Amino acid sequence: MAQGLLDKATLNRRALITGRVLSADPVVAPPGCEIASIIVQARPERLAELEAAITALAGCEIHGRDPRGKLVVVTEAPDSGSLGTLLNTIQSLPDVYSAALVFHAIETA
């Protein structure tokens, strides 16, 4: 047996922790997309400008609005990395106090 390669019979905690059970096979994402809902808390007097900035982002729609400064954003992204980037982008927009992921699902083809 080649050094660093383990068969299923020698799988143990130490091998798992040290990374010797990792496979060289590529990770294949499932077909479909990531769907998420994000609650955004922002300055109420700047809500209209923020809503325009968010809807200008690819895959984002506003599905709820509270005049006290809350938006419900529904978004669709091709993968979880893109979804995380989108969440960070929304969090870094001017006048945003917080943006929290409240729902996430993988839509399969």
Side-chain angles (χ1 to χ4, degrees), residues 23-60:
S23 170
D25 297 334
V27 176
V28 178
C33 64
E34 310 272 331
I35 299 171
S37 292
I38 301 168
I39 299 292
V40 178
Q41 178 72 46
R43 295 181 64 176
E45 65 273 10
R46 305 285 297 169
L47 208 52
E49 293 87 354
L50 181 60
E51 189 172 349
I54 290 173
T55 55
L57 297 172
C60 288

Side-chain angles (χ1 to χ4, degrees), residues 13-102:
R13 185 172 182 255
R14 184 175 305 271
L16 183 65
I17 291 172
T18 59
R20 289 182 288 169
V21 295
L22 297 178
S23 170
D25 297 334
V27 176
V28 178
C33 64
E34 310 272 331
I35 299 171
S37 292
I38 301 168
I39 299 292
V40 178
Q41 178 72 46
R43 295 181 64 176
E45 65 273 10
R46 305 285 297 169
L47 208 52
E49 293 87 354
L50 181 60
E51 189 172 349
I54 290 173
T55 55
L57 297 172
C60 288
E61 298 177 5
I62 305 295
H63 279 265
R65 185 176 200 262
D66 184 325
R68 292 176 289 182
K70 293 181 183 173
L71 295 174
V72 177
V73 180
V74 176
T75 185
E76 186 176 300
D79 55 44
S80 60
S82 300
L83 185 60
T85 300
L86 185 60
L87 180 59
N88 288 336
T89 300
I90 292 172
Q91 287 175 333
S92 64
L93 289 172
D95 304 313
V96 171
Y97 296 140
S98 67
L101 183 69
V102 294

